[in-house]
Amino acid sequence: MKSAVETLNPTRVRLTVEVPFEELKDSLDAAYKKINQQVTVKGFRKGKIPARVIDQRFGRGAVLEEAVNDALPKFYTEAVNDADLNPLGQPEVDITELKDGETLNFTAEVDIRPALEIPDYSGIEVEVDAVEVTDEDIEKSVEQLRERFASTSPVERAAEEGDVVTIDLEAKVDGEVLEDGIANGVSYTIGSGELLDGIDDAVKGLEAGGEATFTSELKGGSAAGKEAEVTVKVTQVAARELPELDDEFAQLASEFDTLEELRADSRKRLANMKQFDQATQAQERVLEKLLELVEVPVPEKLLEDEINTRKHNLEHHQLGQMGLTLDKYLEIQGKTAEEFETETREAAVKGIKTQFVLDELVKKEQLNVNQEELTEHLMRRAASSGMSPDQFAQAVVEGGQVPLLVGEVARGKALAVVVESATVKDTNGEIVDLDDEEETEEAPAEAAATEATTEEKADEKTEESTEG
């Protein structure tokens, strides 16, 4: 077999392949065997029909077509390997000549990864937000915790901002009550913005037993996005009472004995979270600088596929779960269809360029992924997907996605190499040391652990209030 490569543009090539007919022998034999199993000829047992009889009855052309279809993938792969190409997607194959007993000639056009030159990136400099935890930040954090431990008590007066009301709701569209438009005994904090637009104005000033009607656009359910006439009836008004900010509150809401210890822990936790945000910001800004240094041509077909995939995932997965259409989503975001198209294309281009550049860096820096790194990444991906590690691992293996995960880990390591060589300063002009990755990685985990402890204590308090 002989093959030649013609470069059509930086991301597409045409392979011209010539195959001597004798190299089709195995595929011809397989073709005769396959046809033998599919047809019946009087006077011959199934599977024992001679090749000359098959040629006479069904035509030599049918055999050649079957043989060529079987052989093309093998010869194409061989030509790609000989040329040391990195193809993207499926090729467009055209058989230019097929002479029985002489030769098979074909061409294959396919997108390829562009050849990239990674320049010296050690001079990259970026600025990130400084890690500063103010007294205001701490008080806000403590106040949020205090809100979680608020208690309520029924009052005989009109509802006010911040009160918790128990309400019954009924929604009508075009004068008809919706099947899923009735809800009773709903607890709602006035001013929280957690229910329908307009409900706060409707319930303010109502006492228990009072009702009001207002118009609002439904956010979910069978009539999501439609204007509805909503009747709300208040069955109870309760005032919220916040606990005193003292040592007793600290003991109630945390594992600490004093309010000062609680505040100190809040300061440490907020600092860890801001350090994590700072490290993430540094990675993003270093990546942007790196992409500016490298000329990366993007295959048009690959780009269109990526754009379509992003749109499909948004419309059929993310928005579908929220009961929103794309038009409604754009309306909420205040974007036009043209702006959405532009943003999606820009994000797709950046995603493709990022993968190309980081993959090239993996090769240049000869980075490898060990089992421990792959397992840690799998655990993080499983947690973000809401699946158990075992379930996620099984899905990855069954879907043949292990190489995909390996690639993600390798690209992460490549970016870490660039970030390590970059100069990162904060807005105060101070050099930021990002070497302590372990501490940065653990910051979200520490925050989650604190949150879990708080939730556990809140649950205990709820149970005590119920029993009392």
Side-chain angles (χ1 to χ4, degrees):
M1 186 194 83
K2 295 191 303 182
S3 63
V5 181
E6 177 187 359
T7 300
L8 304 177
N9 62 50
T11 63
R12 193 167 180 84
V13 297
R14 179 188 293 122
L15 289 163
T16 302
V17 184
E18 299 178 9
V19 183
F21 203 81
E22 57 266 22
E23 293 187 32
L24 282 171
K25 183 180 183 306
D26 289 344
S27 293
L28 278 169
D29 291 343
Y32 279 116
K33 186 175 181 180
K34 182 176 180 180
I35 294 173
N36 241 309
Q37 300 300 322
Q38 294 174 338
V39 302
T40 301
V41 176
K42 189 175 180 180
F44 297 95
R45 285 184 297 160
K46 196 173 185 65
K48 299 296 184 180
I49 308 169
R52 59 179 175 76
V53 175
I54 291 177
D55 288 347
Q56 291 169 356
R57 289 293 186 90
F58 306 102
R60 174 72 167 174
V63 180
L64 288 174
E65 182 179 355
E66 183 66 39
V68 169
N69 288 339
D70 175 74
L72 275 177
K74 179 184 69 173
F75 292 129
Y76 165 72
T77 300
E78 189 177 332
V80 165
N81 292 337
D82 288 346
D84 194 24
L85 299 175
N86 291 307
L88 300 167
Q90 296 300 312
E92 295 178 7
V93 178
D94 181 27
I95 297 174
T96 55
E97 186 175 24
L98 176 57
K99 289 185 177 179
D100 194 357
E102 295 184 28
T103 187
L104 163 66
N105 298 337
F106 68 92
T107 62
E109 287 191 18
V110 67
D111 288 331
I112 59 168
R113 282 178 175 266
L116 301 180
E117 281 292 329
I118 306 295
D120 179 17
Y121 48 78
S122 60
I124 290 178
E125 294 187 9
V126 297
E127 184 181 75
V128 295
D129 296 335
V131 173
E132 296 175 344
V133 180
T134 65
D135 291 342
E136 184 180 348
D137 291 332
I138 297 169
E139 291 310 311
K140 183 178 178 181
S141 175
V142 173
E143 193 62 29
Q144 288 173 344
L145 183 59
R146 187 182 177 208
E147 290 277 348
R148 295 191 58 183
F149 285 84
S151 59
T152 59
S153 58
V155 292
E156 295 183 3
R157 59 166 172 76
E160 301 173 354
E161 183 85 7
D163 284 345
V164 178
V165 289
T166 304
I167 54 178
D168 297 336
L169 295 165
E170 180 184 86
K172 294 180 181 179
V173 173
D174 298 329
E176 296 290 330
V177 178
L178 299 171
E179 289 186 9
D180 55 354
I182 297 177
N184 296 321
V186 177
S187 180
Y188 175 67
T189 302
I190 300 175
S192 65
E194 294 174 352
L195 280 178
L196 300 167
D197 293 337
I199 194 170
D200 289 339
D201 292 336
V203 297
K204 283 180 188 176
L206 294 182
E207 298 183 15
E211 67 176 58
T213 300
F214 64 101
T215 301
S216 183
E217 184 179 293
L218 298 179
K219 296 180 180 179
S222 61
K226 293 184 177 180
E227 288 287 327
E229 182 183 84
V230 182
T231 300
V232 56
K233 181 177 180 180
V234 176
T235 59
Q236 179 181 279
V237 178
R240 297 176 74 249
E241 298 176 0
L242 297 175
E244 291 293 329
L245 276 179
D246 52 23
D247 293 346
E248 186 177 340
F249 167 71
Q251 294 163 19
L252 170 70
S254 71
E255 70 271 31
F256 302 107
D257 293 328
T258 68
L259 185 59
E260 283 310 305
E261 288 174 334
L262 175 60
R263 285 195 171 108
D265 178 72
S266 294
R267 181 180 293 277
K268 178 182 176 183
R269 181 164 49 84
L270 290 171
N272 286 339
M273 291 173 64
K274 290 195 175 189
Q275 284 171 356
F276 178 81
D277 291 342
Q278 186 188 63
T280 301
Q281 191 179 63
Q283 288 182 331
E284 292 172 348
R285 294 185 178 178
V286 168
L287 176 60
E288 288 173 1
K289 290 282 188 179
L290 176 64
L291 294 180
E292 290 173 6
L293 294 176
V294 188
E295 185 67 32
V296 187
V298 176
E300 192 60 35
K301 177 66 167 58
L302 180 65
L303 176 58
E304 293 306 318
D305 289 345
E306 178 66 16
I307 290 172
N308 291 334
T309 297
R310 287 172 181 257
K311 288 181 180 177
H312 178 83
N313 289 340
L314 175 64
E315 288 190 67
H316 299 282
H317 296 293
Q318 300 170 40
L319 297 183
Q321 292 176 356
M322 295 186 289
L324 292 175
T325 64
L326 179 59
D327 289 341
K328 187 60 187 175
Y329 167 75
L330 294 179
E331 182 183 331
I332 294 172
Q333 294 291 315
K335 296 177 183 175
T336 65
E338 291 74 19
E339 289 171 336
F340 170 72
E341 290 286 341
T342 299
E343 289 180 6
T344 303
R345 176 171 286 270
E346 289 174 351
V349 168
K350 183 178 179 181
I352 293 171
K353 286 185 175 182
T354 297
Q355 182 170 333
F356 283 173
V357 170
L358 294 183
D359 283 346
E360 190 66 29
L361 267 170
V362 169
K363 288 195 299 182
K364 180 179 180 180
E365 302 293 344
Q366 298 182 333
L367 302 175
N368 296 308
V369 176
N370 60 42
Q371 186 60 49
E372 182 180 356
E373 291 167 335
L374 182 59
T375 300
E376 288 178 359
H377 183 65
L378 187 148
M379 299 281 280
R380 287 195 293 271
R381 286 289 304 272
S384 64
S385 70
M387 301 170 68
S388 71
D390 288 343
Q391 288 175 323
F392 187 79
Q394 183 178 353
V396 167
V397 173
E398 291 178 352
Q401 300 298 306
V402 173
L404 188 67
L405 287 189
V406 172
E408 289 174 355
V409 177
R411 285 190 283 274
K413 294 180 70 172
L415 180 56
V417 169
V418 183
V419 172
E420 186 178 348
S421 69
T423 300
V424 181
K425 293 182 179 180
D426 64 20
T427 48
N428 294 329
E430 300 291 329
I431 296 291
V432 177
D433 183 6
L434 298 172
D435 289 340
D436 195 355
E437 295 179 7
E438 184 176 348
E439 182 177 336
T440 302
E441 285 290 334
E442 289 180 354
E446 291 173 3
T450 304
E451 186 72 12
T453 302
T454 303
E455 287 180 2
E456 188 176 325
K457 286 185 171 286
D459 289 341
E460 290 172 3
K461 179 178 182 296
T462 302
E463 290 171 4
E464 290 169 3
S465 299
T466 305
E467 292 168 359

